[in-house]
Amino acid sequence: MKKINLIIADDHLMFLEGLNTILQDMPEIEEIHLATEGKQVLRLLNQFKIDLVISDISMPKMDGIELLKEIKKKHAEVKIIMLSMLDNHRTVHKVIQKGAQGFVPKFTSKEELQKAVRTVIEGEQYFSDIIKQRYMESVFERKKYKNIALSPREKEVLKLLAEELTSKEISEKLFISVNTVETHRKNILLKTSSKTTTGAVKYAIESGLFDD
């Protein structure tokens, strides 16, 4: 039996130690490295031969989704299982779309966590039933929205509006005139059928425009 090396990442030490204890019972596992934040995971990936990362989504400095993107970019061969107390459909959709091989809620059982690890290291995907349900909810919600085609520049402007930047601040950041920013803003409102910038931002979040 080929044994694997893995990293567990969570900023809550008691939970981290609990996961470590659960996974140490598995004969398939050779080494377990512990991390409390995303950048530490990336350092460990550069130092050791790692097969699997199990990571919480809510972590300081670099959250689990950003970590997932970095691992996929720099260590594509490493498999990833995400854990979270959050099971809202937008988070689930984002995690699955970004390429995680597994996703289980943090309140899962010891048996299911071990099953998820075995399934993923054998080359399959594993998503808890509640995660599958949330994913289907996200797909259904997105179908409610018509396809809208914002230009790359309009998406940039909308994201900055979501950060509450003024038109002047956006113009300075993107090196365009205030009038051009206002034109983009009007086009965004028209395309999203929104009366206000807040409405356009809400539409973008719910329809997945910010998920790139």
Side-chain angles (χ1 to χ4, degrees), residues 6 8 14-29 32 34 54 83 104-118:
L6 61 84
I8 310 170
M14 287 183 64
F15 188 80
L16 189 63
E17 290 166 1
L19 286 179
N20 186 34
T21 300
I22 289 171
L23 296 175
Q24 279 179 344
D25 288 343
M26 298 181 66
E28 302 95 328
I29 296 174
I32 299 177
L34 305 182
I54 301 174
L83 301 171
V104 295
K106 292 180 80 169
F107 51 79
T108 194
S109 66
K110 169 184 175 179
E111 291 74 21
E112 184 175 35
L113 177 61
Q114 292 183 340
K115 181 180 179 182
V117 170
R118 290 191 175 103

Side-chain angles (χ1 to χ4, degrees), residues 57-75:
I57 287 180
S58 301
M59 293 190 294
K61 298 181 183 177
M62 176 185 288
D63 67 23
I65 292 174
E66 186 62 32
L67 174 61
L68 170 59
K69 291 193 288 186
E70 286 296 309
I71 293 174
K72 287 297 173 184
K73 188 192 311 179
K74 299 175 181 177
H75 305 276

Side-chain angles (χ1 to χ4, degrees), residues 62-124:
M62 176 185 288
D63 67 23
I65 292 174
E66 186 62 32
L67 174 61
L68 170 59
K69 291 193 288 186
E70 286 296 309
I71 293 174
K72 287 297 173 184
K73 188 192 311 179
K74 299 175 181 177
H75 305 276
E77 74 286 357
V78 175
K79 295 179 170 62
I80 305 163
I81 295 174
M82 302 302 294
L83 301 171
S84 181
M85 289 302 294
L86 303 171
D87 62 354
N88 71 77
H89 56 266
R90 292 190 195 104
T91 301
V92 170
H93 193 281
K94 193 175 293 186
V95 166
I96 293 175
Q97 291 299 105
K98 296 299 178 186
Q101 281 79 19
F103 193 165
V104 295
K106 292 180 80 169
F107 51 79
T108 194
S109 66
K110 169 184 175 179
E111 291 74 21
E112 184 175 35
L113 177 61
Q114 292 183 340
K115 181 180 179 182
V117 170
R118 290 191 175 103
T119 302
V120 168
I121 63 178
E122 288 171 3
E124 303 295 327

